[in-house]
Amino acid sequence: MTQVPSFAVVSGEQVAGVLHGKEKQVTGVVEAAYRLHGEGRTINPDSYFLRFPDRPSARIIALPASIGQPVDVHGIKWISSFPENVAAGLPRASAVLILNDTTNGYPLACLESSIISAARTAASAALAATTLAAARGVTPRRAGFVGTGLIARYIHTYLAANGLSFDDVGVFDLDRGHAEGFGGYLALAGEDRVTIHDDAESLIAASDLVVLATIAGEPHLHAPELLAHNPLVLHVSLRDLSPEIILSSCNILDDVEHCLKAGTSPHLAEQLSGGRSFVDGTLCDVLDGRVTPPAGRPVVFSPFGLGVLDLAVASYVYDEVNASGDLRTVPGFFHELKRHG
């Protein structure tokens, strides 16, 4: 007799409960997913953007993906970005993720995914920071954050959990109040010296690790001389740097085809230069020792944010909640299961 598939809902509270304090484990999950992707054992189609003519700053993005053994799951993340939410006291982004069984295709669960998305983004950034710093032989001691939202907070948490500590942390945000609030968080998180900067340029000059976590839709940092001191730049928001800065840097991407789309800074650099020779490799190339980024040039890591990373972290969360006995299934979710009634 065929077993009726079950369907579960995993709340944000449950997701946070699983992930809190597990930053090193989650970074390991993300690294394993990157390696599977590098081995061709994933499917990661283009993201699909739903945009609104009357609200050009808002969008909802669908990220379908599939990841092979040992994760073995299909799924899709549906994530919205409505920047106007911040003024109303709500986070900019909200998301859900559906996991599908690889045998029969039935959805297994719906998980609140804004936390999963933030965690996989932060784990990717921390993995890149530690991997690239080790490959260059340079340990960053002065960090700078441009943009001070949820993603910046998660990235700081994951950097610290992965062994990076700083003598000084710089902060800049277009909203001074947000910058000061993030500075207060950093002090509570144990950072002894926090500097609020009046502009992104002064912050970058004072930092050897720069985290760009903004909602910029087009480049606002233009002069290659900004990176003359050869920092490591985590270009998480993808559209902050001019193509001239990209072309004068060592560029490590998470996936070449995905990063060179949708008006990202690397995409603009490709259009300006007429080629892709400025791309030095992927993070997986560095992990596997095929590419060694130099200490004597600025290094920019541009991660498009692969759906397979969301799937890997979501699968980890699902398995942990299921193993704990706290998985909340929805009785009768699948109803019409007989072919002829």
Side-chain angles (χ1 to χ4, degrees):
M1 183 176 181
T2 303
Q3 183 177 358
V4 176
S6 65
F7 182 77
V9 175
V10 181
S11 70
E13 182 180 24
Q14 289 178 299
V15 172
V18 169
L19 297 181
H20 179 70
K22 300 288 182 62
E23 291 84 7
K24 281 286 289 182
Q25 292 93 322
V26 174
T27 304
V29 168
V30 166
E31 178 178 350
Y34 269 131
R35 292 184 183 276
L36 288 172
H37 186 67
E39 294 167 5
R41 295 163 63 188
T42 65
I43 303 170
N44 203 105
D46 288 346
S47 301
Y48 298 89
F49 289 73
L50 178 62
R51 300 187 184 274
F52 311 96
D54 59 331
R55 301 185 70 176
S57 66
R59 64 183 188 269
I60 308 179
I61 311 172
L63 289 83
S66 176
I67 187 166
Q69 294 284 2
V71 181
D72 193 33
V73 72
H74 311 315
I76 187 168
K77 181 175 75 170
W78 181 240
I79 182 165
S80 68
S81 174
F82 279 54
E84 294 170 1
N85 285 351
V86 175
L90 285 172
R92 171 187 60 85
S94 59
V96 294
L97 187 147
I98 301 293
L99 292 177
N100 291 76
D101 186 276
T102 55
T103 301
N104 57 34
Y106 272 75
L108 297 170
C110 175
L111 298 89
E112 197 286 330
S113 197
S114 65
I115 298 169
I116 289 171
S117 188
R120 68 86 153 139
T121 300
S124 169
L127 176 65
T130 54
T131 301
L132 295 171
R136 301 174 85 200
V138 178
T139 301
R141 301 299 306 171
R142 301 169 300 147
F145 288 81
V146 179
T148 60
L150 178 74
I151 296 299
R153 173 161 60 86
Y154 267 77
I155 290 175
H156 176 264
T157 299
Y158 272 74
L159 290 173
N162 280 277
L164 290 178
S165 60
F166 307 106
D167 299 327
D168 180 84
V169 180
V171 177
F172 170 71
D173 195 286
L174 291 175
D175 186 309
R176 180 82 181 191
H178 291 166
E180 291 174 349
F182 187 60
Y185 155 76
L186 290 171
L188 291 174
E191 296 294 351
D192 294 328
R193 183 176 177 185
V194 177
T195 304
I196 308 298
H197 288 261
D198 293 327
D199 53 73
E201 289 78 6
S202 65
L203 178 145
I204 291 170
S207 306
D208 49 20
L209 175 66
V210 179
V211 179
L212 300 175
T214 73
I215 57 171
E218 59 186 27
H220 57 96
L221 299 167
H222 297 282
E225 294 76 19
L226 284 172
L227 306 187
H229 57 301
N230 301 324
L232 171 57
V233 181
L234 303 178
H235 189 202
V236 176
S237 35
L238 281 178
R239 295 172 177 84
D240 302 85
L241 301 177
S242 70
E244 290 81 7
I245 290 180
I246 295 292
L247 292 173
S248 64
S249 302
C250 170
N251 290 280
I252 304 297
L253 313 182
D254 63 349
D255 182 281
V256 176
E257 293 300 327
H258 286 272
C259 281
L260 297 181
K261 287 185 173 72
T264 65
S265 296
H267 187 202
L268 297 179
E270 179 188 31
Q271 292 174 332
L272 180 63
S273 66
R276 298 181 172 186
S277 62
F278 65 90
V279 177
D280 293 270
T282 66
L283 181 57
C284 195
D285 289 331
V286 181
L287 286 167
D288 290 340
R290 292 186 294 270
V291 171
T292 301
R297 290 181 67 198
V299 175
V300 176
F301 174 61
S302 297
F304 194 79
L306 301 173
V308 294
L309 305 183
D310 294 285
L311 280 196
V313 175
S315 182
Y316 170 78
V317 170
Y318 176 86
D319 289 344
E320 290 291 307
V321 174
N322 192 26
S324 73
D326 293 330
L327 195 65
R328 301 167 185 167
T329 59
V330 181
F333 186 82
F334 300 111
H335 178 62
E336 287 286 358
L337 296 173
K338 294 183 179 180
R339 188 177 178 86
H340 300 293

